Amino acid sequence: MEKFVIIAGAVSVGKTVASNKLISKMLSKGYVVDKYFNDGSEPTFWNILNNGKPVGGSVVLGKEDKKIAIVGYGDCIKDLDTVFAQIDFNDYYAVVCCSRTRATREVFDYFHNNILPNIDVTKTQVVPIYKDLMAHNNRDNDENISIADTILTILEN
């Protein structure tokens, strides 16, 4: 894996919405769905995504020889375990994941204890993005679009 991007923030600041915008932007740039990590209910996943609301699902997108896993939620260890049990980091160019910050210590500790030890930081660019600067300030959508654009730039360079 060359890149690991984590969108971190408190509860209900729009982490999943930002990741949904990233998915939409990637699809518009020619990426295609390789795999769903959610319950397999593709219509539910995309109907919710198209309505712009958070979705509790995750997906692998591919383009040419790049596979990118996007984990659109990070609030519950059980859900993270389900997805990360299916991910071999060596199979992916990049992984983008949402995660709660320290307010929920167990999720924060999960990443430090279970994910980061599996990443060779001498070979993988780890990019933490803090999602909370403009939340609940009538600028949420601007922030979500900006984060999606930033991550897309990171993934394409």
Side-chain angles (χ1 to χ4, degrees), residues 64-81:
E64 298 161 5
D65 61 344
K66 284 185 181 178
K67 279 187 175 180
I68 299 169
I70 301 175
V71 183
Y73 52 85
D75 295 341
C76 178
I77 290 174
K78 180 178 92 44
D79 294 331
L80 290 170
D81 263 343

Side-chain angles (χ1 to χ4, degrees), residues 16 97 115 142:
T16 300
C97 185
I115 305 303
D142 295 338

